[in-house]
Amino acid sequence: MAVVVTDRFSNLLYWNPFAEKLFGRPGTSGPRDQSLSLGIMEKDHPLAVELSKHVLKGGVWEGTFDVRRGDGTIIYVRAQAVPLRHPSGSVTGIVITAREAMRSNEREKDRFGLLERIGERLAGSLYVEETLKRVAEMLVPQFADHCFIELMENGRLFRKVSTHVPGWTPPPNTWAPIGAEIFYPTGHYADIALRRQETILVEDFSQTNYPSPGESQTRLSAEIGLTSAIVAPLCVRGETLGLLYLGLSNLTDRRSPHYDAFDRDFVGAIATRVALAVDNALLFEEERHTAESFQKYLLPRALPQLDGLEIAVRYFPAAPLASHGQGIQTQVGGDWYDVIPLSAGRVGIVIGDVEGRGAKAAAVMGQLRAALRAFAQDDKPPAEILARLDEWTRIIATPEQDESGTDISIPPIVTCQYLVYDAWSRQLSFANAGHAPPLLLINGVCTELDIKEVGQPLGVRAKGLHADLVYKEETRTLPPGAALLLYTDGLVDRRPVRDADGRHPNDEETLALLCGKLVEITDAAAGDISVEGIADAATTAVPGEIDDDMAILVVRSASDDLQVEERTFPAQPIMVGEARRMAAEAFTDWDVSEERAELACLLVSEVVTNVVLHAAAASIPRRELAMDGPPLPFEESWDVPGFDDEIANEKEFTLRIRRGGESVWVEVFDQDLRLPRIRSAGENDEGGRGLYLVDQLAKRWGSRPTKEGKAVWFEIPTKSR
């Protein structure tokens, strides 16, 4: 029995000789040891802290720990902790008594604690190879000298684990190695276990005679003195996944070199938990493939062709991990990007990152991307779009309630940056929700885009704090030829790579390295580098393997200005013809085909007429007309001097026409806040068909609110429809 005594602060006061043997640590006879942990594995440290608090309050604790010894082996320890009391009654420390589980007369009592611990360890593994590795660690050398695990693949049995006591490995061409297909002869105890789906015990090989799986294997078994074995099928949901094989030999000095019926039942119970863990791991890997499909089909498959803007994107899942199995090659996460065509040639640019990995993160990413695309069509300012997306992030949180029925749903945490770029004015409007600022590359100089207001990530805003106070819109002018690099943290957070001094670069150094690489390739190309080249350079600039999925989006403004015509008119009916004339002249100067120009001029007339009529109608109820004397007769009531002039001069509209590579965009701005909608005109109605014509003849059309009122716009292709 190991006996360990500590004070209230975990300083070691006493450690008996068997404690050294059990925990594999040297005895401590000198100064107090502040780092005492008894070799308890790191994942159990929180449990150790909690039990210490419980015992120091006067309680008693009993349970099972898994302990890693100095040689790397894992054993299970049954421990009891009681308070150490001063004669006055106060608790001054903790007394721990411990012994190796399953090595006493209390095996039945220990069995339940051990199964619980084994189940906990297996539950923490979601990869097949990692699960099987943990099984071997748990069983060798405490319960076995040799452990084989074989899994079925397409009806054939393949060895996945071959673990033995430390310091010994089977010679080549003896026992089958990992990856080899395994054949057990008919009548072999492993074959019986598979066919009967029951755990088979071979208590003593010297007293039995089973068919040999091979001459070399039989010879090696005799050399090491294989004494006893247990073979348990891994069965779950009525299906046999494989075999768990445990063996004892003369390579170790044990109290009993033979298994008994109790061991058989115990290993059978372990095999049940192993089978569940393997099945869960296989299902998890299937989920991983589903998540990969999410990312493949939810991210944009092709980018739109945009005027005045070059775009390049990259997406890289994380690099393969050593613990992966069954062909999984990537880590799946929630990074995304998007490019959204908006009104009149403007474009919405998005980069975002959902916290976490797996199918859930990918599913959240897909919902947020679809929601943001829908919100963006309203053409609201970027800050309003992020505010709406923040609310949506809370809505899609997994519903959870506590015991009292109170909603305790935790929204996913998402960082996001949304930008709107107008290539004709070169104006860049944006709002940020906790995302890393983009890098701005201008004339061989690389800096972070100056963002004064970085809001909180989506989903973490405190209750009672309105989103308008969290997300702020900022505006910059993007110079000709300037490039923006938007990225997720996977670009700079790589698996640790030491520099020449043996240090791990910090975030600032990594960012400086990235900027330096971008400047270097820009200088090498004398400034004439494509956005694809910038994206490629950014991908390889930071050394180390990708530890998280990574999204990169590069945009660069055009060097030349785009063609635009703009003029403001009074909101008078006579101005409809002037607006149409301005449009016709612009289309002629731009060499737009006559057919396309006539169609565009017709729609200009309809939209401008609609604006003028509603502008005049909207002004009447908004003014208060004061007249002296008795009311005028109806036929004279409109003959008030200056009344018509006030109505006409009160409103005005602006016509803006933009020339793109394959389309022209027409925008009409006015001060009326009411957005237009298509009406269902009756057979004898004189009006109500203007917007219907626009809807039928234009490629796209819409309206959006502005600071002064609204804008109605439509797009006409300059080539054949």
Side-chain angles (χ1 to χ4, degrees):
M1 180 73 69
V3 179
V4 179
V5 182
T6 72
D7 64 12
R8 295 183 60 88
F9 306 102
S10 296
N11 296 312
L12 182 64
L13 302 179
Y14 175 76
W15 172 289
N16 76 344
F18 188 75
E20 176 183 346
K21 179 180 179 182
L22 180 63
F23 297 116
R25 294 187 48 171
T28 304
S29 57
R32 293 177 174 180
D33 183 9
Q34 286 278 5
S35 61
L36 177 65
S37 66
L38 307 181
I40 294 173
M41 296 184 68
E42 184 177 355
K43 70 181 185 62
D44 279 341
H45 285 181
L47 176 62
V49 172
E50 290 301 318
L51 77 87
S52 297
K53 292 179 180 178
H54 174 71
V55 175
L56 289 174
K57 292 178 181 178
V60 176
W61 182 90
E62 183 176 5
T64 305
F65 280 116
D66 33 346
V67 172
R68 186 183 295 274
R69 297 192 187 192
D71 61 2
T73 59
I74 295 175
I75 63 169
Y76 289 94
V77 173
R78 187 73 178 175
Q80 184 181 48
V82 297
L84 176 67
R85 295 186 182 273
H86 188 268
S88 65
S90 62
V91 178
T92 60
I94 300 175
V95 178
I96 302 172
T97 56
R99 55 183 169 75
E100 185 176 353
M102 305 295 291
R103 289 293 180 264
S104 72
N105 295 326
E106 300 184 44
R107 293 198 299 173
E108 187 67 31
K109 181 178 178 181
D110 293 343
R111 176 179 179 180
F112 298 104
L114 269 176
L115 286 176
E116 180 182 357
R117 299 298 297 154
I118 291 172
E120 289 175 359
R121 290 206 67 205
L122 290 177
S125 173
L126 290 176
Y127 303 105
V128 173
E129 291 184 6
E130 181 181 351
T131 299
L132 301 182
K133 180 181 177 182
R134 288 190 179 186
V135 171
E137 284 182 346
M138 290 185 293
L139 299 177
V140 177
Q142 185 168 13
F143 299 112
D145 297 331
H146 312 277
C147 174
F148 301 110
I149 301 179
E150 289 130 14
L151 296 183
M152 286 286 187
E153 295 180 8
N154 300 322
R156 300 159 66 188
L157 200 61
F158 291 89
R159 181 155 292 172
K160 298 297 182 181
V161 169
S162 178
T163 302
H164 311 276
V165 291
W168 185 87
T169 55
N173 301 319
T174 53
W175 286 346
I178 294 176
E181 186 175 358
I182 305 300
F183 299 95
Y184 290 111
T186 303
H188 190 274
Y189 51 93
D191 174 65
I192 296 173
L194 273 177
R195 287 189 289 106
R196 295 182 181 177
Q197 291 192 349
E198 65 180 46
T199 304
I200 300 298
L201 165 67
V202 182
E203 189 169 348
D204 189 346
F205 278 110
S206 64
Q207 304 296 323
T208 58
N209 184 21
Y210 288 100
S212 171
E215 182 180 348
S216 60
Q217 299 179 41
T218 302
R219 186 186 313 114
L220 181 60
S221 298
E223 290 177 1
I224 63 174
L226 194 65
T227 58
S228 186
I230 297 177
V231 182
L234 303 178
C235 300
V236 64
R237 295 185 286 115
E239 180 182 358
T240 302
L241 302 180
L243 282 177
L244 170 64
Y245 183 112
L246 300 180
L248 294 176
S249 68
N250 293 329
L251 293 175
T252 58
D253 183 16
R254 297 178 182 271
R255 185 180 309 172
S256 173
H258 300 281
Y259 290 123
D260 58 19
F262 177 87
D263 296 319
R264 178 194 59 200
D265 296 341
F266 182 65
V267 172
I270 292 176
T272 300
R273 285 155 176 78
V274 172
L276 286 172
V278 171
D279 188 53
N280 287 337
L282 292 172
L283 292 174
F284 176 74
E285 293 184 354
E286 184 177 347
E287 179 184 341
R288 287 290 308 281
H289 288 294
T290 303
E292 289 177 355
S293 298
F294 280 169
Q295 288 188 317
K296 179 179 179 181
Y297 292 104
L298 291 178
L299 289 175
R301 303 301 303 275
L303 297 176
Q305 296 294 321
L306 301 168
D307 292 298
L309 200 64
E310 298 177 69
I311 302 176
V313 296
R314 296 288 186 274
Y315 176 79
F316 294 93
L321 298 180
S323 60
H324 289 193
Q326 299 296 311
I328 286 186
Q329 296 296 316
T330 58
Q331 282 282 38
V332 180
D335 290 11
W336 95 93
Y337 60 84
D338 208 351
V339 178
I340 308 170
L342 301 176
S343 62
R346 296 156 61 247
V347 58
I349 303 169
V350 188
I351 192 81
D353 187 358
V354 178
E355 183 185 47
R357 296 177 179 177
K360 181 178 179 180
V364 171
M365 175 270 288
Q367 293 182 74
L368 291 179
R369 176 175 176 257
L372 195 149
R373 269 191 161 262
F375 298 155
Q377 299 309 313
D378 290 343
D379 270 325
K380 297 289 182 65
E384 292 188 36
I385 297 296
L386 286 187
R388 293 187 65 183
L389 196 63
D390 177 69
E391 293 295 337
W392 183 253
T393 304
R394 297 169 183 275
I395 291 174
I396 64 176
T398 303
E400 293 185 22
Q401 294 181 338
D402 60 14
E403 296 178 356
S404 62
T406 304
D407 183 15
I408 57 172
S409 303
I410 301 177
I413 299 176
V414 183
T415 63
C416 182
Q417 174 129 4
Y418 180 58
L419 309 91
V420 175
Y421 181 63
D422 187 331
W424 282 263
S425 66
R426 299 188 184 277
Q427 187 179 70
L428 182 72
S429 303
F430 57 86
N432 190 295
H435 202 81
L439 298 181
L440 180 61
L441 192 61
I442 306 177
N443 299 326
V445 178
C446 181
T447 58
E448 284 190 325
L449 182 67
D450 180 27
I451 300 179
K452 294 182 172 57
E453 299 284 349
V454 177
Q456 296 178 353
L458 306 176
V460 301
R461 174 171 52 87
K463 290 186 177 180
L465 184 62
H466 198 273
D468 292 344
L469 302 176
V470 179
Y471 307 112
K472 303 292 185 181
E473 180 181 358
E474 300 182 50
T475 303
R476 304 283 186 274
T477 299
L478 207 58
L484 274 178
L485 172 67
L486 294 86
Y487 62 92
T488 58
D489 55 7
L491 175 63
V492 293
D493 293 343
R494 302 294 182 99
R495 294 185 188 170
V497 173
R498 298 181 184 273
D499 58 17
D501 299 328
R503 299 186 307 109
H504 296 301
N506 57 35
D507 292 343
E508 292 183 359
E509 292 171 337
T510 302
L511 196 60
L513 180 65
L514 175 59
C515 284
K517 182 66 175 180
L518 294 178
V519 171
E520 179 184 337
I521 59 105
T522 302
D523 292 342
D528 187 24
I529 184 172
S530 66
V531 289
E532 297 289 341
I534 295 175
D536 289 336
T539 301
T540 58
V542 180
E545 280 191 291
I546 301 172
D547 195 40
D548 191 6
D549 55 335
M550 176 181 71
I552 296 176
L553 193 152
V554 182
V555 296
R556 183 166 62 186
S557 62
S559 301
D560 300 327
D561 292 333
L562 301 181
Q563 295 174 305
V564 59
E565 294 288 342
E566 183 174 330
R567 181 179 168 188
T568 300
F569 301 89
Q572 300 176 4
I574 196 174
M575 291 294 107
V576 176
E578 291 296 322
R580 186 168 55 245
R581 185 177 298 109
M582 169 193 162
E585 292 174 355
F587 297 147
T588 300
D589 293 341
W590 294 340
D591 295 327
V592 178
S593 67
E594 183 178 354
E595 177 188 1
R596 299 283 99 188
E598 288 181 356
L599 175 60
C601 288
L602 169 63
L603 300 187
V604 167
S605 295
E606 295 296 337
V607 174
V608 170
T609 299
N610 190 68
V611 167
V612 169
L613 290 177
H614 286 85
S619 65
I620 295 175
R622 296 184 184 183
R623 297 187 59 86
E624 196 173 290
L625 183 62
M627 295 181 293
D628 297 330
L632 296 175
F634 179 81
E635 63 274 7
E636 299 176 3
S637 61
W638 300 104
D639 298 332
V640 180
F643 184 71
D644 290 338
D645 294 337
E646 289 184 11
I647 294 177
N649 295 332
E650 184 183 43
K651 300 289 184 179
E652 57 186 17
F653 68 90
T654 298
L655 176 63
R656 178 191 294 165
I657 307 174
R658 295 177 164 188
R659 176 72 158 91
E662 298 184 354
S663 298
V664 292
W665 285 272
V666 176
E667 294 177 284
V668 180
F669 300 84
D670 68 70
Q671 293 78 41
D672 191 354
L673 298 176
R674 297 172 299 175
L675 299 180
R677 60 184 179 86
I678 298 177
R679 292 169 50 192
S680 298
E683 183 178 351
N684 298 320
D685 290 347
E686 294 183 1
R689 298 178 177 84
L691 288 181
Y692 178 79
L693 285 176
V694 175
D695 181 65
Q696 294 296 309
L697 299 178
K699 180 179 180 181
R700 292 194 307 152
W701 80 279
S703 60
R704 71 175 189 273
T706 63
K707 294 180 179 179
E708 296 79 17
K710 71 172 182 297
V712 182
W713 61 274
F714 63 85
E715 176 186 355
I716 294 292
T718 54
K719 299 180 180 179
S720 59
R721 191 169 182 177

